[in-house]
């Protein structure tokens, strides 16, 4: 089998994770790592036998990959995608697809034109236990969902600035919003509020993102959802989505599914780590072994629109309606 050649743009923590997973898949060669910070590109390239570059376009032209992973922070999306799409290459983009909506919409139009294979970092979609959850929800649709992202603040410098990360809803809660869409359908209206902690005298914080957010979603199905996010903790407490149907509670997280029907509480553990499944699926789609991925760019942009609507409502204090055109 000819190896599938992969280039990676961005050499931070999530890039390292993908490089590790790709290295364990048969017939995949990571050939280029590009990052404007030369030591970062060199260190990761050294680990996987790839060539390091500081300019993404040079990496693509020198190594002619079949597929490209874009693992840059939210604010840096735009130029990397345009370079990949201009060359007609398959593209995997880490979530969120941008820090704001304008860049994401511009790229979504280019992706649709380019008609390339896409995958994104919404790997919760690749949890195999979701098939069980979906079957149960088809029989007994959920009327309520509660989603959580209760965590510490990530240690990267860009995270605390809205113009760099988009804020916690756009950057982290987006996984839970994506799962809400997948299991309960599209949202029609959102209302959210955020707050920041009072700093003790003498303590300074350059961050401008909310420390907590609470949101309510009204869904097209008639169901409602509540969501809570915080970055105030020392360690991650919970990232999950709970659904409530008649006589049935489902608790979904990255690590599995709990089914509570009142009579029993049964845990279902995934057979395959979704962080592995998401890369395996993308590579299979690049090779033409499967029709697309479950984490297409189009789906990612829909979830990003919802996250941006929640963030906008928290900013303005006003409800935001998602009209049919926004849902597409
Ligand atoms: N799906 C997941 O589970 C998951 C997990 C972690 C991070 N992420 C996402 O991945 C993205 C990156 O996160 P991270 O933790 O790796 O960040 P990071 O700060 O560790 O790494 C980002 C890297 O991108 C580089 N970079 C910045 N601009 C660039 C550009 N224009 N071209 C090339 N490289 C550029 C930086 O120099 C840095 O090395 C974030 O959006 C984050 O939300 C997703």
């Amino acid at each position: 089998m000819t190896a599938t050649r992969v280039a990676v743009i961005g050499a931070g923590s999530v890039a390292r994770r993908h490089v590790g997973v790709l290295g364990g898949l048969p017939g995949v060669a990571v050939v280029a790592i590009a990052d404007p910070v030369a030591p970062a590109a060199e260190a990761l390239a050294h680990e996987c036998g790839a060539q390091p570059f500081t300019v993404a376009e040079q990496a693509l032209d020198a190594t002619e990959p079949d597929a490209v992973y874009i693992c840059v922070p939210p604010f840096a999306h735009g130029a990397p995608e345009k370079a990949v799409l201009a060359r007609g290459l398959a593209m995997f983009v880490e979530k969120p697809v941008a820090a704001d909506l304008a860049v994401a919409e511009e790229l979504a139009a280019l992706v649709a034109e380019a008609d390339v294979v896409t995958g994104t970092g919404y790997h919760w979609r690749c949890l195999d236990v979701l098939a069980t959850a979906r079957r149960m929800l088809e029989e007994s649709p959920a009327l309520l969902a509660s989603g959580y992202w209760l965590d510490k603040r990530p240690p990267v410098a860009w995270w605390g600035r809205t113009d760099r990360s988009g804020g916690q809803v756009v950057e982290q809660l987006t996984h839970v919003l994506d799962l809400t869409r997948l299991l309960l359908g599209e949202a029609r209206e959102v209302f959210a509020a955020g707050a920041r902690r009072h700093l003790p005298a003498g303590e300074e914080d350059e961050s401008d993102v909310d420390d907590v957010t609470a949101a309510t979603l009204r869904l097209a199905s008639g169901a409602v959802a509540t969501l809570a996010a915080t970055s105030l903790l020392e360690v991650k407490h919970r990232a999950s989505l709970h659904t409530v149907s008649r006589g049935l509670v489902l608790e979904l997280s990255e690590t599995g599914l709990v089914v509570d029907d009142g009579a029993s509480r049964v845990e279902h553990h995934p057979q395959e780590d979704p962080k592995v499944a998401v890369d395996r699926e993308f590579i299979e789609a690049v090779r033409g072994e499967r029709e697309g991925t479950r984490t297409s760019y189009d789906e990612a942009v829909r979830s990003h629109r919802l996250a941006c609507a929640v963030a906008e409502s928290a900013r303005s204090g006003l409800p935001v309606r998602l009209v049919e055109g926004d849902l597409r």
Side-chain angles (χ1 to χ4, degrees):
M1 177 174 35
T2 317
T4 304
R5 297 166 62 79
V6 174
V8 180
I9 301 179
S13 63
V14 85
R16 176 163 275 103
R17 189 180 89 200
H18 285 297
V19 165
V21 172
L22 292 168
L25 298 177
V28 178
V30 177
V31 293
I33 305 282
D35 195 300
V37 179
E42 283 158 13
L44 190 55
H46 182 71
E47 283 173 34
C48 61
Q51 266 183 269
F53 295 87
T54 50
V55 178
E57 286 82 351
Q58 285 175 8
L60 304 184
D61 292 337
T63 62
E64 299 189 345
D66 302 302
V68 185
Y69 274 69
I70 298 180
C71 299
V72 301
F75 67 86
H77 289 284
E81 284 86 347
K82 287 177 186 170
V84 173
L85 295 172
R87 289 160 178 79
L89 302 172
M91 181 172 86
F92 184 103
V93 182
E94 257 308 340
K95 47 55 57 180
V97 292
D100 66 8
L101 198 51
V103 170
E105 296 289 10
E106 185 193 359
L107 292 174
L110 294 176
V111 169
E113 262 172 47
D115 194 24
V116 295
V117 169
T118 59
T120 63
Y122 286 96
H123 62 265
W124 289 35
R125 284 180 172 252
C126 297
L127 273 164
D128 46 34
V129 294
L130 276 188
T132 306
R134 293 181 89 161
R135 216 170 33 244
M136 292 182 142
L137 291 176
E138 262 167 36
E139 274 176 30
S140 182
L143 201 55
L144 173 70
S146 308
Y148 307 92
W149 199 286
L150 312 179
D151 205 346
K152 59 185 182 303
R153 186 184 287 191
V156 282
W158 48 264
W159 200 87
R161 301 290 311 178
T162 306
D163 60 344
R164 313 292 276 170
S165 70
Q168 190 180 19
V169 171
V170 166
E171 222 281 323
Q172 292 179 320
L173 190 66
T174 190
H175 277 297
V176 180
L177 291 168
D178 186 55
L179 198 58
T180 306
R181 286 189 49 246
L182 189 68
L183 294 178
L184 282 85
E186 303 293 356
R188 287 275 182 248
E189 189 175 22
V190 306
F191 178 76
R196 286 169 58 75
R197 74 189 175 104
H198 294 289
L199 293 177
E203 192 178 319
E204 284 183 26
D205 183 0
E206 293 191 345
S207 147
D208 69 349
V209 299
D210 283 338
D211 296 313
V212 297
T213 306
T216 303
L217 271 53
R218 196 187 292 281
L219 307 177
S221 67
V224 292
T226 64
L227 296 140
T230 185
S231 57
L232 279 177
L233 304 177
E234 296 296 327
V235 291
K236 192 187 224 174
H237 173 69
R238 177 178 299 181
S240 61
L241 181 72
H242 300 189
T243 68
V244 179
S245 316
R246 188 166 172 78
L248 179 69
V249 175
L250 303 183
E251 298 175 15
L252 275 148
S253 72
E254 228 182 345
T255 53
L257 165 70
V258 177
V259 178
D260 188 337
D261 63 4
S264 65
R265 190 178 156 82
V266 179
E267 291 185 24
H268 300 255
H269 299 287
Q271 301 287 309
E272 185 181 25
D273 182 343
K275 290 175 179 162
V276 173
V278 73
D279 287 339
R280 178 184 52 70
E281 240 183 61
F282 174 64
I283 295 297
E284 286 170 3
V286 170
R287 291 178 181 153
E289 293 169 2
R290 59 177 291 143
E291 186 79 23
T293 66
R294 282 178 287 181
T295 57
S296 69
Y297 195 86
D298 183 51
E299 282 297 326
V301 171
R302 288 172 194 233
S303 295
H304 186 62
R305 282 189 194 113
L306 177 55
C308 288
V310 173
E312 185 190 325
S313 177
R315 236 181 339 261
S316 67
L318 298 170
V320 174
R321 266 179 185 282
L322 290 147
V323 292
E324 204 59 49
D326 291 334
L327 305 174
R328 259 169 281 189

